[in-house]
Amino acid sequence: MSQVVDPTTVDDADAVVDLSVLDEARTRLATDDAVLRLSATEAEERSGYQPPTDEGLGERMIMNMGPQHPSTHGVLRLVLELDGEEITRSRPVVGYLHTGMEKTAEQLTYLQGPTNVTRMDYAAPLFNELVFSMATEQLLGVEVPERAQWIRTLMCEVNRISSHMLFMATNGMDLGAVGMMLYGWREREELLRFLEQVTGLRMNHNYIRPGGVAADLPDGWEDELDRVLSVLPERLEEFDTLMTGQPIWRDRLQGVGVITAEEAISLGATGPILRSTGYAWDLRRDLPYLCYDQLDFDVIVGTHGDSFDRYSIRLAEIRESIRIVRQCMDKMPPGDYRIQDKKVTPPPRARIDESMEALIHHFKIFTEGFKVPEGEVYVAVENPRGELGCYLVSDGSSHPVRMHIRAPSFVNLQTLPHLMQGSLIADTVAIVSSVDPIMGDVDR
Amino acid sequence: MSEVDTTDTPAEASEPRVELRHGVPVTESHGQEVLHPARGEYVGLVERLRSEGYWVAVDLCGVDHLTNPGRRGLPAGVEPERFEVVVNLLDHRNRRRTRIRLQVPEDDAVVPSLFEVHPGLEASERETHDLLGIVFSGHPDLSRILLPDDWVGHPLRKDESVGRIPVQFKDPTASGGARP
């Protein structure tokens, strides 16, 4: 089912994307008339029966699905144009969760930034903190200590597992495997408990900060993590028994919502959507950051680009992440968990009682924040949903001029109309679920 | 470049000689390549880069530099304007990135759309239009995406207030509704 293909080896027939094929895909996307070009208001006003048009279009129905719908993963609204049971055109309508977080980021100091971005992709909050912190550090020109890098890698992989567990739970429930909801949630809870032990919070951790991480790993973290990791493989076997091999499950997903590598590339889709087409692109391997160049793991790809491949990729990625976490545990070096730069890192609590200087530094960092040299930078990491980027512009003050997050869910949503065209209305839920959008990430 | 003597340029100004790559001025920002095309060269440049391997337009966003006048690391010959459109491109095969920073003047905030070149930028261009009010000419559907259709204003502009708007939980008829 899954195979590893390297896009850089040009001889590899399956994985090669040629410019002419790419051009073809672009033309196809432009002409397939999959996107329903109606504004949110028009879609509301025109919903219902559509009489046949003079151009030969038959009777249609425009239906608004969501934003209040259990399987739209929050507040996604889909405007569907239907010909009987079949979807002809569609469009996702987003923005219901927009809270202007990019604007908020301009009011916060760099130290406060992670508290803001962590609330974007709430299923994978550590990645948001990571990408923001990495961008800030690059502007500052500081290098984070080795142990901090390894802690970040470890925590992000734990977070990736928990995020994929959330997908397993919701994907199962969306397709009627209601039991899966409980199992996915149960496993996720185990991982969140570990995250809580380390960061103090189950979500929105504010753990990865510019300069390192907020606290060192607590005593006994290895035992707890080892316990969690040793129960997971057998639970994953249960997932396989419950879903992967089941004919009903396969019928619901195989061949549903198919996309090609060229289309995915043209639409900017990343993560499991791109990899489901057989195209191996994973920033952890291809443009390594943190400690990924010192870790041994496989990039999982599918073959058909359908919903089933997207499901099985995520399942296999959980296993890969377990491998990575195990390696991180073995290789975890001693040392500092944050840089010892008084201008960036708050002094340890104990120092404040003894040193006036420390108190001043503490006070200045938490009131004014630290100043970041003028410049602009784009940093990207591989989040469970694809490329998560942060474009950060500084004017030399303690607040960013602009903080833009390239949200993978936001970009991936553009594939929906193309995935859904010609499919049955019953497959809508399977397709949306397989794209796995997190609306907090989409709307920001 | 002509051999203009540099006596009248300020001492802190960077070297006036401009390095060109792909026919447009190029600078480096923290080890990342940044291209600075003029508006007329913009679409052609992206199309050419695409044919050279930058297949993926990862991201497009806008920046409002109203409160941040100055050179901002721009090369000589590129005049800073209030708005900037920033496009991040990715080359899978050579595993490299490049970035385009396009200066957009305030009084004529119109940029040709990249939809024909990279259909995947459709949502990002809509977002930039929605939040910053930059118009992308040739875009198939430049409606608002994150804000409601009847919203007035573009919140990411620096002259737009942060807007601590009263939340309408209790009395929706109270003054200062949800619209600025």
Side-chain angles (χ1 to χ4, degrees):
Chain A
M1 184 59 53
S2 41
Q3 47 170 330
V4 183
V5 187
D6 188 347
T8 53
T9 52
V10 183
D11 302 314
D12 217 329
D14 276 320
V16 171
V17 173
D18 200 65
L19 192 65
S20 59
V21 191
L22 210 57
D23 284 341
E24 250 169 57
R26 185 171 69 178
T27 319
R28 194 161 62 242
L29 288 171
T31 53
D32 69 355
D33 195 27
V35 187
L36 183 63
R37 303 253 176 235
L38 284 181
S39 77
T41 320
E42 284 169 342
E44 207 173 310
E45 284 161 359
R46 284 190 50 193
S47 67
Y49 175 75
Q50 308 292 313
T53 62
D54 298 336
E55 292 94 55
L57 216 62
E59 291 176 305
R60 297 284 163 93
M61 165 86 101
I62 288 182
M63 194 177 80
N64 286 277
M65 177 178 169
Q68 274 82 23
H69 190 284
S71 49
T72 51
H73 291 222
V75 283
L76 173 65
R77 172 173 150 203
L78 294 168
V79 183
L80 307 172
E81 189 197 57
L82 303 165
D83 179 7
E85 273 281 297
E86 199 184 300
I87 295 166
T88 47
R89 289 184 290 178
S90 58
R91 151 176 258 186
V93 177
V94 300
Y96 293 95
L97 227 51
H98 178 64
T99 48
M101 292 167 92
E102 291 183 0
K103 181 81 169 176
T104 307
E106 294 168 10
Q107 321 302 319
L108 301 176
T109 65
Y110 289 92
L111 191 65
Q112 293 168 325
T115 57
N116 179 40
V117 293
T118 192
R119 283 156 173 80
M120 291 180 175
D121 186 343
Y122 41 75
L126 286 168
F127 292 89
N128 295 320
E129 300 168 14
L130 174 71
V131 77
F132 177 82
S133 300
M134 280 169 61
T136 309
E137 285 151 11
Q138 203 155 340
L139 283 175
L140 281 168
V142 297
E143 187 80 19
V144 177
E146 210 191 339
R147 184 176 170 85
Q149 305 264 23
W150 281 97
I151 295 177
R152 286 176 171 188
T153 317
L154 176 119
M155 294 297 281
C156 282
E157 287 309 314
V158 172
N159 200 180
R160 188 184 309 277
I161 304 175
S162 79
S163 172
H164 280 340
M165 283 297 178
L166 176 78
F167 166 81
M168 291 294 149
T170 52
N171 191 40
M173 191 191 65
D174 287 345
L175 294 164
V178 183
M180 207 35 235
M181 183 77 174
L182 299 175
Y183 299 131
W185 233 253
R186 182 185 65 184
E187 270 60 285
R188 179 171 178 263
E189 202 53 44
E190 299 271 2
L191 294 150
L192 292 190
R193 211 170 288 138
F194 174 75
L195 292 179
E196 186 183 7
Q197 200 189 354
V198 177
T199 69
L201 292 164
R202 294 167 73 250
M203 298 164 84
N204 305 336
H205 310 280
N206 188 22
Y207 179 67
I208 298 176
R209 300 180 188 178
V213 294
D216 207 349
L217 295 169
D219 292 342
W221 68 273
E222 281 161 310
D223 299 336
E224 171 64 11
L225 191 54
D226 184 59
R227 192 192 64 75
V228 176
L229 292 185
S230 50
V231 296
L232 283 183
E234 61 190 76
R235 304 267 172 93
L236 293 175
E237 296 291 320
E238 288 176 23
F239 288 12
D240 273 335
T241 317
L242 195 62
M243 302 189 294
T244 315
Q246 293 302 321
I248 298 176
W249 184 258
R250 287 182 166 252
D251 284 351
R252 280 295 260 125
L253 290 176
Q254 282 182 335
V256 170
V258 181
I259 192 167
T260 66
E262 296 79 23
E263 287 169 346
I265 289 173
S266 298
L267 289 169
T270 46
I273 298 184
L274 179 58
R275 290 195 287 273
S276 72
T277 63
Y279 190 86
W281 180 260
D282 189 322
L283 293 176
R284 290 177 293 170
R285 187 200 62 175
D286 295 302
L287 290 165
Y289 53 97
L290 294 181
C291 307
Y292 287 108
D293 50 349
Q294 301 164 53
L295 292 164
D296 178 31
F297 62 97
D298 291 332
V299 174
I300 313 292
V301 297
T303 23
H304 306 287
D306 59 3
S307 298
F308 185 79
D309 278 0
R310 292 193 279 276
Y311 153 78
S312 46
I313 283 175
R314 290 190 178 97
L315 192 60
E317 278 187 3
I318 295 178
R319 295 196 167 100
E320 287 305 313
S321 288
I322 294 174
R323 261 176 81 191
I324 297 176
V325 173
R326 287 263 183 225
Q327 292 174 57
C328 288
M329 290 171 74
D330 293 341
K331 294 186 177 182
M332 184 64 70
D336 271 328
Y337 61 93
R338 55 185 183 184
I339 50 165
Q340 292 305 321
D341 181 338
K342 292 187 178 63
K343 295 288 175 220
V344 180
T345 314
R349 177 66 188 83
R351 285 287 296 151
I352 296 175
D353 296 338
E354 314 163 343
S355 158
M356 191 64 192
E357 291 278 291
L359 185 62
I360 292 170
H361 277 304
H362 173 90
F363 194 69
K364 287 199 65 135
I365 285 177
F366 281 101
T367 51
E368 292 171 8
F370 49 82
K371 290 192 165 45
V372 171
E374 190 180 343
E376 40 103 46
V377 75
Y378 178 82
V379 174
V381 300
E382 185 79 26
N383 128 319
R385 275 155 272 283
E387 173 169 337
L388 174 71
C390 178
Y391 180 66
L392 198 56
V393 185
S394 170
D395 59 353
S397 71
S398 56
H399 298 68
V401 172
R402 179 85 164 97
M403 197 281 301
H404 172 73
I405 291 285
R406 189 264 185 204
S409 302
F410 181 69
V411 180
N412 288 351
L413 268 189
Q414 295 181 99
T415 59
L416 270 184
H418 305 281
L419 291 173
M420 297 201 298
Q421 192 179 33
S423 70
L424 296 176
I425 193 166
D427 292 332
T428 316
V429 172
I431 294 170
V432 173
S433 187
S434 78
V435 170
D436 192 24
I438 293 290
M439 296 316 287
D441 198 26
V442 174
D443 295 342
R444 285 157 286 144
Chain B
M1 298 293 311
S2 57
E3 286 97 58
V4 191
D5 68 344
T6 55
T7 45
D8 55 357
T9 49
E12 67 272 18
S14 57
E15 240 206 334
R17 275 193 69 87
V18 181
E19 198 189 330
L20 296 179
R21 199 171 299 167
H22 309 288
V24 297
V26 63
T27 54
E28 195 166 279
S29 172
H30 297 273
Q32 302 173 343
E33 181 187 88
V34 188
L35 302 168
H36 303 268
R39 262 193 291 181
E41 307 164 319
Y42 170 62
V43 177
L45 173 70
V46 177
E47 179 74 68
R48 199 161 62 248
L49 286 170
R50 181 176 174 275
S51 64
E52 285 172 17
Y54 290 98
W55 291 336
V56 194
V58 174
D59 185 37
L60 181 146
C61 70
V63 186
D64 181 1
H65 280 290
L66 183 69
T67 56
N68 184 25
R71 298 290 309 163
R72 314 191 291 257
L74 295 173
V78 178
E79 280 314 302
E81 299 284 357
R82 176 176 172 183
F83 296 114
E84 245 176 49
V85 167
V86 183
V87 188
N88 278 288
L89 301 172
L90 173 61
D91 180 350
H92 279 169
R93 248 180 224 172
N94 299 306
R95 294 174 179 168
R96 55 184 180 171
R97 291 177 187 277
T98 192
R99 177 159 68 240
I100 292 170
R101 279 172 70 187
L102 180 66
Q103 302 299 316
V104 185
E106 179 181 3
D107 50 9
D108 178 28
V110 182
V111 174
S113 170
L114 288 179
F115 177 75
E116 303 276 317
V117 188
H118 290 290
L121 288 178
E122 185 191 341
S124 304
E125 286 186 347
R126 278 179 71 194
E127 184 194 324
T128 308
H129 169 69
D130 192 359
L131 301 179
L132 276 161
I134 296 170
V135 176
F136 292 88
S137 57
H139 190 285
D141 168 26
L142 206 59
S143 54
R144 288 194 181 267
I145 183 163
L146 293 178
L147 296 170
D149 283 344
D150 53 354
W151 190 274
V152 181
H154 303 284
L156 267 185
R157 288 190 173 194
K158 292 285 181 184
D159 48 7
E160 193 96 2
S161 74
V162 181
R164 302 198 184 281
I165 297 163
V167 181
Q168 297 190 353
F169 284 141
K170 291 202 172 117
D171 183 10
T173 57
S175 61
R179 304 280 176 270

